[in-house]
Amino acid sequence: MDFHGKQLLLVPDVVLLPEGPVKGRAVLVQDGTFRAVGPVRTLTDAHRNARTVRLKGHLLMPGFVDAHHHLTQSFGKAQAFGQPSEIFKTVWEPLEHALDEESAHLSVKLAALEALRGGFTTAADAGTRAPVDVGVIAEAAEEAGLRCVLSKVVSDGKGGEEHLERFRSSRLIHPSLAIPVPENATAAVLKRTADLCADADAVFQIHVNEHLAAVERSLKSVGRRPVSYLHHIGALNSHTLGAHATLLTPDEMRMLADTGAALSYNPVASAWKGNGVAHALMWQALGIRFGTGTDGTRGGGFRLVDAAESAQRLAYGLMSGDSSCGAGRTWLAHATALSADAVGLGKVTGEIAVGKAADFLLVDLQVPELTPSYDLSWELVRLADRDQITAVFVDGKLRLWHGWPTDWDGPALVREAAEVGPRVVRRARIQRVDPDPDGTARHLRRPRS
């Protein structure tokens, strides 16, 4: 298909609008934004000079927004398998410290490619510990074509103002500040960082209440749990984006709701290495803003929304007899528009609407998994996967076609990462716990013949 032209009039079978899937709609894309959304006949009559592309059998939907990622950790995600919950000191910090500019660039571009292949058009990077300038991350994300909320870690209180001004000319990079966990900075630095982000209309990213060890450390060091402590010192506001928050008290939930702070619900990370599943449905009921994030575990948007719904069902729905657990529309919304809101881009992306960035997916509906169709929203959550994504657009530009970049060599990048990644891991000297010390998995009972 030819997607070139100053004006593109796209006519799919279905458009996923804020109110749900709708047939008989078309969208006009120009200069990287949605310029019109409406009935097919109305738009074709009004824009006769536009290049019309009919997308038979396809859904046009917003790209997924990853509310919590670590783009410089892509070489080591398999190192987290079977490990104790709190592994940032034994796995992630050594891994990132082992990166140089070249390998960091490669790691980010690999992560960005995986994200795009999974339908993510935006990712919020929570800040790197790699000894490189964050411009390396910005460059790699832009080369791949991924929109990025890019954090600079400012635990020492330095460089925040400059970073927030640095990428104003970029269409894809949106600056953010980060402090990995509250104990990494003084109360004064935490408060000042939160205020800087609020003044700049940027997000302040910080991990909160993720593991029992972190909660107990906070209690011992400052006498309060992480969210309670941030609230106490005035660092919890509508520009704060807390990651994980799996271990919240009712009082802390009320603090989050009252301040307008946002959270990233990371269900796959909880399953892989967590102490609990965040009560996202309770967050929704209390009016807490939240998006969904991968935490760099796996870059599949459809698998993420499936995990988001499944985790709520297993952790809370079964015991309460809740057979819906938000249904499909809830999780699609929190993975797109509401995730964009959580990462500070609610005015920029996340939905098919006039004035928003043209960040979208074309999804093949003519597949066995979605046939016959009765409730497309829920079917996308439970049945769809990345292999049904025909095309990924970011800022109005075709970035991937059938899973691979259209303007750079994706397979070559994968081959290079396969060579460089293991060298970085060896250099990092990661400390792993043997997940199967008794050899149970290596000595499975064989069936009798």
Side-chain angles (χ1 to χ4, degrees):
M1 293 183 183
D2 187 356
F3 293 100
H4 295 91
K6 185 177 180 180
Q7 289 186 322
L8 282 179
L9 185 61
L10 304 178
V11 186
D13 282 1
V14 185
V15 178
L16 184 61
L17 296 175
E19 61 267 30
V22 181
K23 295 181 178 181
R25 294 293 188 273
V27 300
L28 182 71
V29 175
Q30 182 178 351
D31 297 328
T33 62
F34 294 116
R35 293 303 178 91
V37 180
V40 174
R41 178 61 65 86
T42 301
L43 264 63
T44 53
D45 288 347
H47 303 281
R48 296 184 182 277
N49 293 327
R51 178 183 294 279
T52 300
V53 182
R54 298 191 179 273
L55 301 160
K56 182 174 176 56
H58 279 80
L59 163 74
L60 189 152
M61 65 171 284
F64 293 107
V65 176
D66 188 341
H68 185 62
H69 205 312
H70 294 275
L71 294 171
T72 54
Q73 294 180 0
S74 63
F75 292 156
K77 60 178 177 287
Q79 296 291 315
F81 298 161
Q83 298 302 290
S85 59
E86 197 177 43
I87 57 172
F88 71 95
K89 286 287 187 183
T90 57
V91 176
W92 300 129
E93 285 190 4
L95 176 73
E96 289 181 312
H97 289 159
L99 295 168
D100 55 20
E101 286 198 358
E102 183 179 354
S103 56
H105 183 280
L106 181 61
S107 174
V108 173
K109 198 165 182 179
L110 179 69
L113 175 57
E114 182 187 2
L116 289 164
R117 281 168 55 86
F120 291 101
T121 52
T122 299
D125 182 77
T128 185
R129 301 174 182 89
V132 301
D133 183 82
V134 293
V136 172
I137 301 173
E139 180 181 60
E142 286 187 302
E143 287 177 6
L146 180 71
R147 189 178 301 279
C148 180
V149 177
L150 177 59
S151 282
K152 176 180 174 63
V153 174
V154 291
S155 301
D156 59 0
K158 299 176 182 178
E161 298 97 326
E162 294 81 2
H163 178 74
L164 292 174
E165 293 293 329
R166 182 173 177 182
F167 299 99
R168 289 200 175 276
S169 62
S170 174
R171 293 179 66 95
L172 296 184
I173 306 301
H174 308 268
S176 165
L177 300 181
I179 295 173
V181 289
E183 61 259 35
N184 281 173
T186 65
V189 169
L190 288 164
K191 175 67 163 63
R192 183 167 178 268
T193 303
D195 290 345
L196 276 175
C197 289
D199 291 342
D201 196 22
V203 293
F204 167 39
Q205 299 191 55
I206 187 164
H207 294 72
V208 294
N209 297 51
E210 181 181 4
H211 305 300
L212 184 59
V215 172
E216 292 182 341
R217 257 199 318 273
S218 183
L219 285 167
K220 292 174 182 177
S221 62
V222 297
R224 295 176 183 269
R225 296 160 60 90
V227 167
S228 175
Y229 176 59
L230 291 177
H231 184 263
H232 176 68
I233 65 175
L236 206 61
N237 61 43
S238 61
H239 288 78
T240 305
L241 173 59
H244 299 289
T246 55
L247 304 173
L248 294 178
T249 66
D251 283 346
E252 287 174 312
M253 290 189 194
R254 176 47 58 194
M255 293 169 191
L256 290 159
D258 289 347
T259 59
L263 297 173
S264 63
Y265 166 42
N266 311 319
V268 180
S270 293
W272 283 15
K273 60 180 182 64
N275 289 143
V277 174
H279 203 332
L281 287 172
M282 183 66 78
W283 297 353
Q284 178 174 268
L286 293 175
I288 298 172
R289 299 165 50 228
F290 74 91
T292 55
T294 66
D295 195 27
T297 49
R298 62 187 181 212
F302 289 118
R303 292 192 73 181
L304 179 62
V305 291
D306 181 25
E309 189 260 349
S310 296
Q312 292 302 294
R313 180 176 301 278
L314 293 171
Y316 306 107
L318 293 180
M319 70 177 69
S320 64
D322 182 358
S323 60
S324 175
C325 288
R329 186 178 298 183
T330 293
W331 304 112
L332 288 175
H334 280 288
T336 55
L338 297 177
S339 222
D341 170 68
V343 304
L345 298 184
K347 297 178 181 178
V348 176
T349 189
E351 57 186 2
I352 311 300
V354 174
K356 296 290 180 74
D359 301 345
F360 63 94
L361 314 176
L362 298 179
V363 179
D364 186 0
L365 299 178
Q366 295 181 324
V367 293
E369 292 79 4
L370 301 179
T371 305
S373 176
Y374 302 100
D375 183 339
L376 184 56
S377 293
W378 213 334
E379 290 154 11
L380 290 171
V381 169
R382 291 228 175 136
L383 302 175
D385 208 345
R386 63 154 47 98
D387 60 358
Q388 293 158 226
I389 301 174
T390 299
V392 179
F393 287 76
V394 181
D395 203 43
K397 182 178 179 181
L398 177 64
R399 307 292 179 167
L400 264 65
W401 180 254
H402 289 286
W404 292 103
T406 57
D407 57 355
W408 58 278
D409 194 341
L413 178 91
V414 173
R415 291 192 296 272
E416 184 180 4
E419 294 181 1
V420 174
R423 293 204 298 266
V424 172
V425 170
R426 286 194 296 271
R427 189 161 63 239
R429 296 185 177 180
I430 289 170
Q431 302 172 42
R432 298 185 79 245
V433 174
D434 186 347
D436 185 25
D438 297 321
T440 304
R442 294 189 293 273
H443 302 289
L444 297 176
R445 185 182 297 276
R446 295 182 180 276
R448 293 180 179 178
S449 57

